[in-house]
Each structure stands twice: as structure tokens, then as C-alpha cells.
Amino acid sequence: MTGERRDRAVAGRLLPWTGTDGRTCYLVGDGTGYVSRLADEIEDVQIDMADRLLGHAAELLAERRVTSAELHYLARRLSESLRDVVRVAESRGERLARAPRP
């Protein structure tokens, strides 16, 4: 393993899920394995879900007769989705910062 490749592997990748205890999970590797591909797929699902939720929120908020329970539920789901997307952005940002320069 070259020094550059080893540095990327040692730094680890922030994964889009947490452990059973809620702690952050990292993957140490070169980014080509099964868990890396699974993380990529989960990140794509999380981003797609956030996009769909934003569309639903726009529709719901356009209605004038929305209950406080519906708004509370929407706010909870938006909060969860935003947390997921922020984690994806942090993970991808960290990997971009470590990407080799041409």
C-alpha cells in the first residue's frame, strides 16, 4: 500500500449509520469494498428520502388546514432527514478533502 493510499485508509470514512449505542461508525479501508458500496447506497437512499420529504412538506404546508399533530410529525421527520443528510455531507466532505490532487 502506498503512503497516500494508506493515509486515506487510516483516516477512515464516516458511515451513514450509528452503532447500537448511537455512537459514530467509521470504516477503515481503501473505499472499494462491500461496506463502502453499501454505505454509498444508503447515502443515496437517505438523500432521495430527504428530497421526497421536502416535496411532501411543501404540499402539506400549502394546505391551510393542517393539524398541530401533522406539523409535529413533519418536523420530526424533517429533523431526522436533515441529520442524515448532514452526516452524508460531512462524510463526503472529509473524503473530498483527502482526495489525491492530480
Side-chain angles (χ1 to χ4, degrees), residues 14-73:
L14 176 64
L15 293 172
W17 57 79
T18 59
T20 55
D21 56 359
R23 294 181 62 175
T24 304
C25 292
Y26 287 90
L27 173 65
V28 176
D30 63 5
T32 62
Y34 170 76
V35 177
S36 290
R37 290 190 306 274
L38 179 62
D40 290 340
E41 290 174 18
I42 290 174
E43 286 178 351
D44 289 343
V45 167
Q46 289 172 328
I47 291 169
D48 183 58
M49 288 176 64
D51 187 46
R52 291 173 188 243
L53 185 57
L54 283 173
H56 175 69
E59 292 172 6
L60 187 65
L61 294 172
E63 297 178 17
R64 292 290 182 203
R65 297 195 307 224
V66 179
T67 67
S68 62
E70 289 172 319
L71 287 175
H72 183 260
Y73 183 80

Side-chain angles (χ1 to χ4, degrees), residues 4 96-102:
E4 180 180 296
L96 283 174
R98 292 191 308 260
R101 306 280 177 188

